[in-house]
Amino acid sequence: MFSLSSESPPHVVILPFMAKGHTIPLLHLTRLLFLRRSDIAVTIFTTHANSPFMHQFLSDTNASIIDLTFPQKIHPEIPEGIESVDKLPSQSLLVPFAKATKFLQPEFDAILETLHPNVSCVISDGFLPWSLESASRLCIPRLVFDGVSNYAMALYKIISERDFPTSSDDEVFKVGPYFPYLKLTKNDFEPEFSHPEPGEHMDFYTEEFIATNGSHGIIMNSFYELEPEFVDYWNRKASPRAWCIGPLCLSSEKKVMSEQNSRPMWIQWLEEMAEMGKPVLYVAFGSLEEITIEQYREIAIGLEYSGEHFLWVLRLPSFDNDEFMVEFEKRVKERGLLVKNQWVDQVEILSHKCVHGFMSHCGWNSILESICESVPMLGFPITADQHLNARMIEQYFRIGVKVVTRTGSVRGFFGSECIEKKVKKLMNIEDEKCKEMLKNVKKLSEKARNAMKVGGSSWHTLNLLIDEVICSKKIQDCS
């Protein structure tokens, strides 16, 4: 049994899920913990293939990084050597990959028990439900890191406890009685919620839900002023407590601009656009999302016909030599730059003075980063909570617009004419609605920065979290 003596400094173990969108916020949190407590120790567990990225990210901190051995031959469709979701041949393999992480548990448990100073808290991703058992065995409180919004978390809870008020996938309904001003459809939810069926996916999400419910709290990468109704709803109606300590992307200082020839070519290109006075649309759909070549072409046509300047970061694993995309790149080379199959510093791009809009899949990290850098958004949702988030930026935050299919559905194939129209709408800085979106996102950006400052809501919440969970001197009864 672990106990924290009065002399023991706090020691936090962090266990991220093996995907950059899940990992990076927890690396930001690591920095934040060091800034907040000079006596704190932080140990991060990862795997050998993911270790170099973490070492580079945290090279100027005192974080300890321990590599676990990722299992091989975990699934017939997952090649050996893949240790990150970003490298999976198909995102349909996400759940088998997540389930395979349980093979890390014996090694994790053995090391966890030997760490000094004694571990006071384990912070692990929600996709690693087995880590609750590891922490509980040693009487260590576990905090769940949840990479979604309080808004999405609240809506998932409401929907899981009642039937949908309509059988149609695209019929609009209101979320009464709690949030009657929200208008949603069944298609805004993933099939696991809108059309649940027994199977591997449902089993995994059930396991994740049970483990979260048994944990000491949920760390939310958000801030209270962004979604107060949803934070209040969760902490009043659900458990465990949600702790809003973000936006975590603000915990790291922006990079100092390096010499011209050492900067990435896309930053150099943005500098050229700025010198020419050209506003740029940044287009990116995350490192995990799968888009068909047909949809890529439709996006390309919409961007070309919009007449706007754009920087498009895209994954083209099997379409790199697609004739249409090759010709498209040639046609737009004077006003469009395609960055293929490379990881970029998204905050560095969004913070550039010439970036006036962000066409995004609406992952929660991307929304927060766009808000922090005061960039209005065009929602292009693909999966997970992204359809709900796209609704959020348009209806609730009023900082953007979203695409729809030719039939008006929020899910399916998005035509080039809609993409062209929405891009023009987002980038027309003389349009009154565009001005309103920019005004709203600037207000939220200011609130985000105030929340992270000394005395702000997220600053206070992290202090409470450290005092009540991480540094609690209570000895749990494990008998």
Side-chain angles (χ1 to χ4, degrees):
M1 179 188 297
F2 270 36
S3 66
L4 295 178
S5 70
S6 58
E7 294 79 23
S8 296
H11 185 182
V12 178
V13 161
I14 295 180
L15 181 61
F17 184 58
M18 300 78 184
K20 283 194 170 66
H22 290 244
T23 296
I24 290 174
L26 286 175
L27 300 184
H28 286 313
L29 175 58
T30 301
R31 289 183 174 279
L32 203 56
L33 290 171
F34 282 125
L35 289 172
R36 194 60 54 89
R37 290 283 300 242
S38 59
D39 63 337
I40 202 166
V42 180
T43 300
I44 301 176
F45 282 81
T46 185
T47 67
H48 296 285
N50 294 298
S51 186
F53 177 79
M54 295 199 185
H55 277 280
Q56 181 180 6
F57 200 103
L58 298 173
S59 60
D60 57 343
T61 74
N62 292 322
S64 298
I65 301 174
I66 296 176
D67 298 345
L68 301 174
T69 301
F70 199 84
Q72 300 300 313
K73 299 180 180 179
I74 58 177
H75 190 276
E77 296 180 49
I78 299 179
E80 289 189 37
I82 288 184
E83 299 182 13
S84 172
V85 175
D86 314 56
K87 305 294 185 182
L88 288 175
S90 170
Q91 290 308 301
S92 64
L93 298 169
L94 171 62
V95 168
F97 178 90
K99 290 178 65 176
T101 63
K102 186 170 175 59
F103 290 111
L104 298 171
Q105 187 174 4
E107 186 181 5
F108 175 77
D109 288 357
I111 298 173
L112 186 66
E113 195 165 6
T114 65
L115 291 179
H116 293 285
N118 287 344
V119 177
S120 44
C121 178
V122 170
I123 300 174
S124 58
D125 193 282
F127 270 32
L128 305 170
W130 51 266
S131 58
L132 172 64
E133 179 185 6
S134 300
S136 299
R137 187 174 60 84
L138 297 173
C139 301
I140 303 171
R142 182 230 185 184
L143 292 169
V144 186
F145 173 71
D146 199 323
V148 302
S149 63
N150 292 275
Y151 155 90
M153 202 162 66
L155 291 178
Y156 283 134
K157 173 177 169 54
I158 291 170
I159 292 303
S160 68
E161 295 175 344
R162 63 180 233 186
D163 293 331
F164 280 93
T166 175
S167 59
S168 169
D169 286 341
D170 292 310
E171 183 180 344
V172 175
F173 63 86
K174 294 182 179 181
V175 188
Y178 302 110
F179 311 111
Y181 50 86
L182 291 181
K183 297 178 181 179
L184 303 172
T185 68
K186 288 181 72 173
N187 260 335
D188 287 310
F189 296 85
E190 284 298 280
E192 288 83 4
F193 291 88
S194 59
H195 301 283
E197 293 183 3
E200 182 181 44
H201 285 68
M202 185 56 64
D203 291 345
F204 177 75
Y205 293 129
T206 299
E207 181 184 0
E208 181 183 357
F209 171 80
I210 292 171
T212 296
N213 198 49
S215 300
H216 280 70
I218 307 174
I219 292 179
M220 303 300 294
N221 186 13
S222 186
F223 57 102
Y224 181 79
E225 294 82 0
L226 183 65
E227 38 180 354
E229 303 99 311
F230 305 103
V231 179
D232 290 342
Y233 168 83
W234 181 268
N235 285 334
R236 192 173 61 246
K237 298 284 187 180
S239 64
R241 178 177 174 179
W243 301 80
C244 295
I245 61 170
L248 292 169
C249 59
L250 293 179
S251 65
S252 296
E253 293 184 4
K254 290 181 182 176
K255 292 180 179 178
V256 177
M257 284 293 187
S258 55
E259 293 297 322
Q260 178 75 16
N261 58 4
S262 66
R263 288 149 67 187
M265 59 92 171
W266 48 87
I267 297 298
Q268 296 181 41
W269 184 83
L270 287 175
E271 285 294 296
E272 293 173 7
M273 294 302 104
E275 290 176 6
M276 296 166 58
K278 301 296 184 182
V280 173
L281 173 70
Y282 171 50
V283 184
F285 305 115
S287 58
L288 303 183
E289 310 314 332
E290 290 184 333
I291 300 176
T292 65
I293 186 58
E294 292 78 15
Q295 185 65 83
Y296 269 126
R297 292 169 181 164
E298 210 72 13
I299 295 169
I301 294 169
L303 291 173
E304 182 175 6
Y305 286 6
S306 74
E308 300 292 342
H309 290 70
F310 61 89
L311 167 61
W312 187 2
V313 177
L314 68 168
R315 293 179 71 204
L316 282 171
S318 55
F319 311 131
D320 199 22
N321 295 318
D322 179 73
E323 184 178 350
F324 178 90
M325 295 300 292
V326 170
E327 292 300 316
F328 161 74
E329 189 171 9
K330 291 178 182 177
R331 291 196 303 270
V332 299
K333 64 181 180 179
E334 299 300 323
R335 60 180 177 86
L337 177 66
L338 275 65
V339 179
K340 291 171 280 188
N341 303 324
Q342 295 189 63
W343 185 82
V344 303
D345 185 334
Q346 183 158 280
V347 173
E348 185 179 20
I349 292 173
L350 287 169
S351 64
H352 199 282
K353 59 185 176 182
C354 76
V355 174
H356 288 203
F358 181 17
M359 183 176 177
S360 167
H361 63 310
C362 290
W364 185 237
N365 290 339
S366 292
I367 290 177
L368 286 174
E369 291 165 356
S370 205
I371 286 173
C372 290
E373 302 305 329
S374 301
V375 179
M377 302 185 73
L378 168 53
F380 191 102
I382 301 168
T383 188
D385 58 335
Q386 296 161 15
H387 293 84
L388 289 174
N389 292 345
R391 289 270 187 195
M392 192 183 204
I393 66 169
E394 186 173 57
Q395 288 184 17
Y396 185 65
F397 296 154
R398 301 185 185 281
I399 60 169
V401 293
K402 62 179 176 62
V403 294
V404 293
T405 67
R406 291 183 174 109
T407 63
S409 175
V410 299
R411 192 180 292 268
F413 187 82
F414 301 113
S416 60
E417 64 280 0
C418 175
I419 295 167
E420 174 191 352
K421 178 182 176 181
K422 299 288 185 174
V423 168
K424 287 180 176 178
K425 191 169 191 174
L426 184 71
M427 300 297 287
N428 182 7
I429 58 175
E430 300 301 322
D431 180 74
E432 289 303 316
K433 186 168 183 180
C434 185
K435 289 179 181 178
E436 181 187 359
M437 290 188 293
L438 183 58
K439 179 181 177 182
N440 291 340
V441 77
K442 284 182 176 179
K443 285 182 179 178
L444 290 179
S445 177
E446 183 179 4
K447 289 181 179 180
R449 294 176 188 281
N450 287 338
M452 293 292 283
K453 288 179 180 176
V454 174
S457 63
S458 293
W459 183 89
H460 275 300
T461 301
L462 181 57
N463 277 354
L464 283 173
L465 182 66
I466 291 172
D467 291 341
E468 294 184 16
V469 180
I470 294 175
C471 291
S472 173
K473 302 302 179 186
K474 295 178 181 178
I475 301 175
Q476 300 179 47
D477 182 7
C478 291
S479 58

